[in-house]
Amino acid sequence: MLVSTSRRFLTRLPTRAFSTSSARLDVKKTVSKIYPSAEEAVKDVKGDSIVLSGGFGLCGTADTLIGALAKRPEVKNLTCVSNNAGVGKMGLGALLHSGQISKMISSYLGANKHFESLYLTGQVSLELTPQGTLAERCRAGGAGIPAFYTPAGYGTAVQTGEIPIKYKEGGKEVEVPGKPRETREFNGKGYLMEEAIKGDYALVKVWKADEYGNCVFRYAAQNFSGAMARSAKMTIVEAEEIVPVGSLDPNNVHLPGIFVNRVVQSTAPKQIEIEVLREEASAGGSASEAAMGKDEARLRRERIVKRAAKELKEGMYVNLGIGMPMLAPSFLEPGTVIHMQSENGILGMGPYPTKSEVDPDIINAGKETVTLLPGASTFDSAESFSMIRGGHVDVSMLGAMQVSASGDIANYMIPGKMVKGMGGAMDLVSNPEQTKVVVVMDHVAKGGKHKILDECSLPLTGVNCVSTIITDLCVFQVDRQAKKLILTELAAGVTEEDVRKATGAKYEVSPDLVTMDA
């Protein structure tokens, strides 16, 4: 006989299946995963545990559960796995400030100066991991796959283990070095091996959950949460809405209840890390204008962005980095359709919202508020990076601190001084055979320091991956096979001698050198 534990069928079971009606009632109570409060749900979380925390910036973060855990200062020495460690005392920042976290496994520090300082002075350990690798490590852990090979990070300090996990107190020396990765070639291309992550606990925020733990996420708030929920021994969910069993359409369940142990009501207000608006009557908007800067800086950036827009063609799927790359669509011909992909789980991303359109669950990879265009789709981070590494994105456009003559790129850290984290950049440049990698940047750094070099001096984000470099002075094409730069365009009023002085790398001049079309 088939027996269902849903309430609908419990009432129809023959009396021989359960001896009394009270037995049926006990079954209903037993299968319910609802806990009365977040404090009750985390009361047995132990110190020295691995805690997986969903969320991207402050979007989709389990703030109710994190707040409850922060009230238990005796729970210490936690290893927390999350894309980043919150902002200030929000998100996982609450546990950083309370001293409960001893190690983070993350892809990005961003503007979290407190986190950066704790790491650089040896107070917290940090295992920097490419964003797509982080999502896949969690997904693999929940799928029973102990390790996998990925192109992201091959040829970089991630592979060699040169990024310290922990500095000695004061930050002068390394206490725990990074772990070198095993490598292997497949079809002539290099890959490194990454091990799966399994957590003791996962703290996850969802939109809706039922009594059995079936869950639905909302827009970009899904990010890492689904993979993390599947990879923990104990998954604790906070839900904005707790609904009766049978209320959720089975077709729309993102996280089946088999992966969920406890559900509580979410009570913490949603936070927005970076609210960016456009003017009510403007598609480009005041936010774009502000990002351009003023006076000379504005003219310089506008020249770069206008030229960058020429790389985007009708129907392309593109991933645009934060800053100047994100402004390129503003200079497309009216009516041009491109599909913007954001690595935190959006395809069909639209412009910044008006005040009335702001939604804390719709943000871009820079944690800025955005909108969704008709035909958009949302998904989790593991799905997003499968699109990226798999070469389904036509163009990846990003900024850089340095680029080499052979197409290497460095854009995420200055050892011992500044650690932003690679975020999704290592994944975004990991398949240059299928995804064109375009760098947009000022030609020189402050003080006229060269950014285009024969070899990068900063830790690499990717090796031999850049195809085109667009600056305020010129355009270089990179012959990736011959590993050399070719000057193909000069900005109006700029001479080849100007470029020569501002460039720290050898290059050839195209016989068809033209004026930059901006």
Side-chain angles (χ1 to χ4, degrees):
M1 179 180 68
L2 294 176
V3 178
S4 170
T5 56
S6 74
R7 290 182 170 180
R8 183 181 306 166
F9 290 101
L10 276 170
T11 57
R12 298 179 183 174
L13 287 172
T15 54
R16 66 177 182 273
F18 299 99
S19 59
T20 66
S21 60
S22 62
R24 292 198 295 274
L25 183 61
D26 288 343
V27 171
K28 292 178 185 179
K29 288 181 179 178
T30 301
V31 298
S32 176
K33 297 177 181 179
I34 309 301
Y35 272 61
S37 68
E39 287 74 17
E40 187 70 17
V42 303
K43 72 176 184 180
D44 52 2
V45 173
K46 297 177 174 60
D48 301 294
S49 297
I50 297 174
V51 178
L52 314 181
S53 181
F56 188 84
L58 299 179
C59 178
T61 305
D63 291 313
T64 305
L65 294 169
I66 291 171
L69 193 55
K71 294 175 183 176
R72 298 187 59 214
E74 74 278 7
V75 181
K76 294 183 177 181
N77 199 34
L78 298 174
T79 294
C80 287
V81 182
S82 186
N83 181 65
N84 54 292
V87 179
K89 294 184 179 181
M90 296 182 288
L92 282 181
L95 301 183
L96 272 180
H97 280 271
S98 65
Q100 292 170 262
I101 297 176
S102 62
K103 180 180 179 180
M104 287 293 308
I105 301 178
S106 301
S107 79
Y108 195 65
L109 283 73
N112 193 330
K113 293 295 183 182
H114 181 63
F115 183 14
E116 184 180 47
S117 175
L118 290 175
Y119 168 61
L120 291 176
T121 56
Q123 299 175 68
V124 168
S125 299
L126 170 63
E127 187 179 323
L128 265 182
T129 303
Q131 194 177 128
T133 300
L134 183 64
E136 194 67 14
R137 288 178 70 186
C138 291
R139 192 203 66 79
I145 298 172
F148 57 90
Y149 286 95
T150 176
Y154 184 84
T156 74
V158 172
Q159 175 191 319
T160 59
E162 292 176 83
I163 305 175
I165 290 176
K166 189 175 188 300
Y167 288 99
K168 290 183 178 179
E169 188 173 348
K172 300 284 186 184
E173 300 176 39
V174 174
E175 181 175 320
V176 181
K179 179 183 176 181
R181 308 304 201 261
E182 177 185 317
T183 61
R184 186 172 171 182
E185 273 197 11
F186 295 93
N187 300 317
K189 182 175 178 176
Y191 294 77
L192 51 85
M193 190 182 79
E194 292 282 4
E195 296 181 7
I197 294 175
K198 290 189 69 69
D200 297 305
Y201 305 93
L203 307 181
V204 169
K205 167 80 172 286
V206 304
W207 179 29
K208 294 181 180 181
D210 68 14
E211 192 174 352
Y212 292 169
N214 296 307
C215 298
V216 179
F217 295 100
R218 186 172 183 272
Y219 298 134
Q222 184 169 183
N223 47 71
F224 294 85
S225 295
M228 289 180 170
R230 290 166 169 83
S231 187
K233 298 174 186 175
M234 169 70 69
T235 293
I236 310 173
V237 163
E238 64 173 82
E240 294 176 45
E241 297 180 36
I242 298 177
V243 300
V245 169
S247 299
L248 301 178
D249 183 339
N251 288 309
N252 295 332
V253 171
H254 297 131
L255 178 64
I258 192 171
F259 299 111
V260 176
N261 302 96
R262 300 174 181 178
V263 177
V264 301
Q265 180 66 52
S266 180
T267 58
K270 290 184 179 182
Q271 305 287 339
I272 295 176
E273 187 168 342
I274 306 174
E275 182 177 287
V276 184
L277 305 176
R278 76 176 193 273
E279 293 176 348
E280 293 284 345
S282 171
S286 57
S288 298
E289 294 177 6
M292 284 291 187
K294 297 180 179 180
D295 305 326
E296 183 182 341
R298 177 187 175 86
L299 293 174
R300 186 172 67 249
R301 289 176 183 145
E302 188 171 283
R303 183 186 309 152
I304 297 170
V305 172
K306 281 184 175 180
R307 173 56 184 83
K310 304 292 183 183
E311 299 293 320
L312 310 180
K313 309 298 183 184
E314 178 80 16
M316 277 185 169
Y317 291 90
V318 302
N319 184 293
L320 305 178
I322 303 308
M324 285 192 286
M326 190 64 73
L327 303 176
S330 302
F331 295 95
L332 291 173
E333 288 293 323
T336 302
V337 174
I338 61 168
H339 307 284
M340 289 179 60
Q341 198 260 15
S342 188
E343 58 262 38
N344 59 308
I346 296 175
L347 187 62
M349 184 172 64
Y352 296 125
T354 61
K355 186 66 177 177
S356 61
E357 294 172 332
V358 169
D359 189 318
D361 291 335
I362 306 177
I363 63 165
N364 64 19
K367 290 81 174 179
E368 300 170 328
T369 49
V370 290
T371 56
L372 301 179
L373 295 174
S377 58
T378 58
F379 31 85
D380 68 9
S381 294
E383 178 79 7
S384 184
F385 281 98
S386 72
M387 297 176 187
I388 291 166
R389 288 190 309 271
H392 304 286
V393 174
D394 295 303
V395 173
S396 175
M397 190 177 291
L398 63 167
M401 296 176 184
Q402 294 178 346
V403 186
S404 79
S406 59
D408 301 340
I409 178 175
N411 75 345
Y412 74 98
M413 72 179 294
I414 301 174
K417 294 182 180 180
M418 184 275 287
V419 184
K420 294 298 181 186
M422 67 286 289
M426 286 188 176
D427 300 272
L428 285 163
V429 302
S430 68
N431 194 347
E433 296 82 15
Q434 293 177 272
T435 299
K436 184 177 183 179
V437 178
V438 178
V439 166
V440 295
M441 65 179 189
D442 289 331
H443 202 99
V444 296
K446 289 182 179 179
K449 192 171 182 179
H450 292 155
K451 297 178 69 173
I452 302 174
L453 306 163
D454 284 319
E455 293 185 4
C456 295
S457 59
L458 296 175
L460 297 181
T461 304
V463 176
N464 191 217
C465 56
V466 177
S467 292
T468 302
I469 307 168
I470 302 170
T471 77
D472 51 311
L473 299 184
C474 67
V475 175
F476 283 114
Q477 300 298 336
V478 183
D479 184 332
R480 293 179 41 250
Q481 191 167 14
K483 297 186 177 181
K484 65 180 180 181
L485 290 177
I486 303 170
L487 178 65
T488 58
E489 301 175 39
L490 287 174
V494 174
T495 67
E496 198 269 320
E497 181 62 24
D498 294 331
V499 172
R500 187 78 61 184
K501 290 178 180 178
T503 305
K506 300 180 182 67
Y507 61 84
E508 295 180 5
V509 180
S510 169
D512 301 316
L513 183 65
V514 297
T515 300
M516 184 190 299
D517 183 10

